[in-house]
Amino acid sequence: MDNVRAYLLSLPRRRKRILQVITDCLLVWAALWMSFIVRLGIDEMINPFTQHFWLFVAAPIVAIPLFIRFGMYRAVMRYFGNDALIAIIKAVSLSALILGVVVFWYSNHQNVVPRSIIFNYWWLSLIMVGGLRLAMRQFFLGDWFAAAQHVPFTNRDDGLPRVAIYGAGAAGNQLVAALRMGRAMRPVAFIDDDKSIADRVISGLQVYKPKHIQRMIDVTGAQEILLAVPSVNRARRREILGFLERFPLHVRSVPGFMDLASGRVKVDDIQEVDIADLLGRDAVPAQGDLLEHCIKDQSVMVTGAGGSIGSELCRQILILKPTTLLLYEHSEFNLYSILSELEHRVARESLTVRLIPILGSVRNQDKLLDVMKTWHVDTVYHAAAYKHVPMVEHNIAEGVWNNVIGTLNTAQAALQAGVSNFVLISTDKAVRPTNVMGSTKRLAELTLQALSREVAPVMFGDKTNVSRVNKTRFTMVRFGNVLGSSGSVIPLFHKQIKSGGPLTVTHPKITRYFMTIPEAAQLVIQAGSMGQGGDVFVLDMGEPVKIVDLAEKMIHLSGFSVRSEKNQHGDIAIQFTGLRPGEKLYEELLIGDNVAATPHPMIMTATEDYLSWDVLKVKLGELLSAVERDDYSQVRQLLRETVSGYNPDGEIVDWIYQQRRLEP
């Protein structure tokens, strides 16, 4: 059968159509012959082919042109659908009607033909012509019983993974069709909350209530559940995922309803459950005026444009139609990657934005100033920073140079170039930090707070003592972890689950705030539009999440069980490795309690302590001097004196510092 199927599929289109026409002629004759048998019976029936030869000539002459006109030979058998069935009904009905007119006219001059023959011919043609096409569709799909799981004696083991579809609506039904066509998974059941369709059969699959999932597993042997509920909000998706956790099933989801509706969904498009669904956070609709305020028809620059946050900022800025978007990045590969993506989008959507990729470091103030002046930059989003806590803890000098001096250089260049808006992407780790990364980010905030209060500051490192008029509005946006960013725990957990575990968690009680990258970038843009100067904005991160709970949910939704002391036979263990250097159990978003609402429900403004620019310049000079001497004890002491709440709870673990202590 496989050879026959392959041969038929390999035929040229013209031969396929000729074969279909010949087959339809035979079916029309067979239907006409059978209509006489149904009307007259076998015993008493004379040979209709000899007595009514003209009728057997007229039937295909009437039917075939109509079949051609209604597009029956343009339909592809493998993708035969409801529209093709409707076309068959129309074509067969019209051909029977015309044949009836011919019979009525001809019967007045020749042998009488029973009029019921035409009715019999109509319904027999529908069954034969339409039925054969449905049968051939199943034949070409290679699965005669794809839609017959509920029919006795039709179940068979074809080795395909058995999946249940959560959601029996339009998305679920299109997913079933895509899976059957793809032949990589076998759909075996629907699960749906709608009581009106419970225990019914849709697309050949039994519909189960959520409370009967275990029974469904026992009956069908389902190994996975595919979520096909793209229209529900994240809160409802979290409820569904929480309910499914108790079952030994791998849970995955369909990307989006529009992809299903357009027929673009393939089995490969099915993805792991979005961790954002576990958080249950629904993004608040953006306020268009805030999004466009600092971007539309302006020249915008993003530092760290190839990083997790920087690249998403670039994507969202692009659709807000700036005149120029400058991508400033020190990593050649990251810059190439984001530039290629944005160029493709510009070409696809016919955007007029000019993309300028700049290879450079934020340590080079002269280059930053030159870039900002050359392209007359209006707004800077400063996302360039080192953010990995243990990495910076082991490389203190680099953390200070990049996070503190890099921000200082970018801010001073923006002030000198007359940039209107400057937005710093900060972190919750800047609040009462226990690590170098957090303390350097807080020091970066202090730098902008000090500069924003100076009408005509003298630049740090400027020996001429020339004041510069400050026309720049400096704002800072502080938020927690973003899902899927570089160094994030989520990709690590996915990788560890695929390798069989264990999942490594630093401490049983450790918690973190989480937000999706697109939501964070969108809120950063909006917050940057609201500041008056020196503002510290805090994003509403929701409730903190226990990392161990997140690990357990990811294990369960991957279809595995957690191996522990209570469950020695579980699949994947969770291993506690201890807090890393500089790591905190709990992160905070505010230093003080002075927080106020803003026009946006997800953005708050905090009133934080600050230092004057003259005092801060002295501290920055001392800090740089200590870094250049590799005196990291002094660096720690200066950070303690400058950053409120900085309280390191471990020994200095900088590699250079440790190595020099070992030397005689």
Side-chain angles (χ1 to χ4, degrees):
M1 297 296 286
D2 290 338
N3 292 335
V4 174
R5 186 184 304 114
Y7 171 74
L8 291 174
L9 290 174
S10 66
L11 288 176
R13 183 180 299 176
R14 185 177 179 182
R15 288 190 183 180
K16 289 178 181 177
R17 289 182 174 177
I18 292 173
L19 186 60
Q20 284 181 289
V21 170
I22 293 172
T23 303
D24 282 341
C25 284
L26 295 175
L27 290 175
V28 166
W29 285 335
L32 195 55
W33 185 284
M34 289 293 297
S35 65
F36 278 95
I37 294 177
V38 172
R39 172 65 179 82
L40 302 174
I42 297 177
D43 296 334
E44 300 180 5
M45 187 188 75
I46 57 176
N47 189 348
F49 192 77
T50 57
Q51 285 206 345
H52 303 289
F53 177 77
W54 64 271
L55 192 57
F56 284 86
V57 173
I61 291 175
V62 171
I64 299 303
L66 287 171
F67 290 178
I68 295 172
R69 178 66 183 83
F70 279 88
M72 288 171 54
Y73 303 119
R74 292 194 299 268
V76 180
M77 288 295 102
R78 283 171 291 169
Y79 309 121
F80 192 79
N82 293 336
D83 53 343
L85 282 176
I86 293 172
I88 290 173
I89 293 171
K90 290 179 180 179
V92 170
S93 299
L94 188 56
S95 67
L97 182 62
I98 294 174
L99 188 63
V101 172
V102 173
V103 167
F104 177 77
W105 177 81
Y106 196 77
S107 295
N108 292 331
H109 304 84
Q110 299 292 333
N111 294 332
V112 176
V113 177
R115 284 163 175 68
S116 61
I117 293 296
I118 300 303
F119 176 75
N120 292 336
Y121 167 75
W122 172 72
W123 65 264
L124 285 168
S125 295
L126 282 178
I127 292 174
M128 290 182 178
V129 175
L132 180 64
R133 279 165 168 76
L134 289 173
M136 293 306 293
R137 180 183 69 176
Q138 296 305 115
F139 172 72
F140 286 123
L141 286 174
D143 193 352
W144 291 97
F145 305 110
Q149 277 87 353
H150 62 292
V151 178
F153 311 112
T154 61
N155 291 329
R156 61 191 180 90
D157 185 8
D158 50 12
L160 297 178
R162 293 172 171 261
V163 298
I165 314 297
Y166 199 112
N173 277 275
Q174 290 206 28
L175 177 58
V176 168
L179 292 176
R180 286 171 175 166
M181 207 168 294
R183 300 279 303 149
M185 296 179 179
R186 171 173 287 278
V188 295
F190 276 119
I191 304 165
D192 203 283
D193 302 318
D194 188 351
K195 296 180 180 179
S196 64
I197 61 173
D199 300 323
R200 298 179 66 181
V201 174
I202 297 177
S203 295
L205 302 179
Q206 182 81 26
V207 181
Y208 291 86
K209 296 179 181 177
K211 65 180 180 181
H212 295 150
I213 288 180
Q214 188 58 55
R215 189 177 74 187
M216 181 273 296
I217 296 172
D218 297 337
V219 171
T220 65
Q223 302 158 293
E224 294 189 28
I225 287 185
L226 305 181
L227 293 182
V229 285
S231 59
V232 302
N233 59 33
R234 281 220 170 102
R236 175 58 186 146
R237 288 175 76 90
R238 184 169 77 165
E239 290 180 14
I240 294 172
L241 292 172
F243 178 77
L244 295 177
E245 265 192 83
R246 68 188 75 173
F247 302 103
L249 295 167
H250 186 186
V251 181
R252 294 196 283 173
S253 66
V254 178
F257 180 78
M258 292 309 297
D259 289 332
L260 286 167
S262 62
R264 293 194 297 268
V265 167
K266 300 176 183 177
V267 176
D268 293 342
D269 292 327
I270 294 169
Q271 58 195 16
E272 297 298 328
V273 170
D274 189 348
I275 301 302
D277 293 334
L278 296 178
L279 305 182
R281 286 173 55 90
D282 285 311
V284 174
Q287 298 181 16
D289 56 333
L290 293 178
L291 283 176
E292 296 179 349
H293 181 72
C294 296
I295 294 174
K296 189 173 182 180
D297 298 328
Q298 298 184 47
S299 179
V300 181
M301 176 176 172
V302 179
T303 68
S308 304
I309 294 295
S311 60
E312 182 60 31
L313 279 170
C314 291
R315 294 183 192 101
Q316 298 199 22
I317 289 169
L318 189 69
I319 61 175
L320 295 172
K321 300 179 181 179
T323 56
T324 305
L325 176 56
L326 292 106
L327 316 174
Y328 195 91
E329 171 63 53
H330 80 286
S331 167
E332 182 185 31
F333 175 76
N334 288 352
L335 183 60
Y336 171 77
S337 299
I338 186 60
L339 177 65
S340 300
E341 178 187 333
L342 296 182
E343 284 180 334
H344 178 71
R345 185 168 184 177
V346 167
R348 186 179 69 244
E349 300 179 14
S350 301
L351 300 176
T352 58
V353 181
R354 183 171 54 158
L355 297 174
I356 309 294
I358 304 291
L359 266 177
S361 170
V362 291
R363 297 184 187 183
N364 190 339
Q365 184 173 333
D366 291 337
K367 180 161 188 174
L368 287 164
L369 178 58
D370 188 32
V371 169
M372 293 181 193
K373 282 185 174 180
T374 301
W375 279 278
H376 307 289
V377 173
D378 298 295
T379 302
V380 173
Y381 292 95
H382 181 54
Y386 289 140
K387 305 179 181 72
H388 195 271
V389 170
M391 196 69 72
V392 175
E393 205 70 18
H394 286 297
N395 298 273
I396 294 175
E398 292 302 306
V400 172
W401 279 112
N402 209 55
N403 294 358
V404 180
I405 304 307
T407 301
L408 174 66
N409 290 342
T410 311
Q412 291 193 150
L415 192 150
Q416 290 175 268
V419 171
S420 301
N421 309 292
F422 187 103
V423 182
L424 169 69
I425 284 73
S426 191
T427 172
D428 58 352
K429 294 172 179 60
V431 179
R432 281 185 275 274
T434 58
N435 51 70
V436 174
M437 192 281 279
S439 62
T440 56
K441 290 296 286 183
R442 177 56 187 149
L443 194 50
E445 291 182 356
L446 287 168
T447 301
L448 298 193
Q449 286 178 288
L451 277 174
S452 68
R453 285 166 172 79
E454 294 293 321
V455 177
V458 175
M459 297 295 96
F460 176 81
D462 187 352
K463 298 178 181 179
T464 63
N465 286 327
V466 176
S467 299
R468 309 280 181 171
V469 177
N470 186 0
K471 298 180 180 179
T472 305
R473 181 172 59 91
F474 294 100
T475 56
M476 295 135 274
V477 185
R478 187 188 291 164
F479 54 92
N481 298 316
V482 288
L483 296 170
S485 65
S486 58
S488 171
V489 71
I490 306 303
L492 175 63
F493 283 169
H494 276 305
K495 184 177 179 181
Q496 290 174 337
I497 289 173
K498 286 182 180 179
S499 63
L503 268 63
T504 54
V505 179
T506 55
H507 194 280
K509 294 183 179 180
I510 193 167
T511 64
R512 288 293 180 266
Y513 291 99
F514 284 103
M515 179 179 284
T516 65
I517 295 177
E519 183 183 8
Q522 191 180 81
L523 290 173
V524 163
I525 294 172
Q526 294 176 88
S529 300
M530 293 190 294
Q532 301 301 313
D535 308 80
V536 178
F537 291 106
V538 180
L539 304 187
D540 182 355
M541 300 292 296
E543 295 297 322
V545 177
K546 287 185 72 173
I547 302 301
V548 67
D549 290 345
L550 193 62
E552 290 177 356
K553 287 179 184 292
M554 291 182 66
I555 291 172
H556 290 147
L557 294 174
S558 297
F560 301 109
S561 59
V562 179
R563 185 164 68 247
S564 62
E565 293 182 0
K566 296 181 180 179
N567 182 18
Q568 297 289 341
H569 302 289
D571 301 307
I572 296 177
I574 296 176
Q575 179 180 337
F576 297 105
T577 58
L579 291 176
R580 296 171 296 181
E583 196 168 40
K584 295 170 67 175
L585 276 180
Y586 314 105
E587 298 292 0
E588 305 169 85
L589 288 167
L590 296 169
I591 297 175
D593 298 323
N594 299 321
V595 61
T598 69
H600 197 290
M602 300 291 287
I603 303 172
M604 301 171 289
T605 181
T607 302
E608 306 284 26
D609 295 334
Y610 64 93
L611 299 175
S612 70
W613 179 236
D614 290 335
V615 171
L616 187 63
K617 281 198 296 183
V618 173
K619 293 293 184 183
L620 290 175
E622 293 174 354
L623 183 64
L624 279 184
S625 177
V627 168
E628 290 170 353
R629 298 192 311 269
D630 293 328
D631 186 352
Y632 296 116
S633 296
Q634 180 64 15
V635 169
R636 174 176 279 193
Q637 182 57 35
L638 288 167
L639 289 175
R640 273 193 174 124
E641 295 173 1
T642 310
V643 177
S644 174
Y646 175 52
N647 184 27
D649 56 1
E651 296 294 324
I652 297 174
V653 294
D654 182 89
W655 296 122
I656 294 175
Y657 177 84
Q658 288 184 320
Q659 183 62 29
R660 287 186 175 173
R661 288 188 64 185
L662 294 175
E663 293 175 355

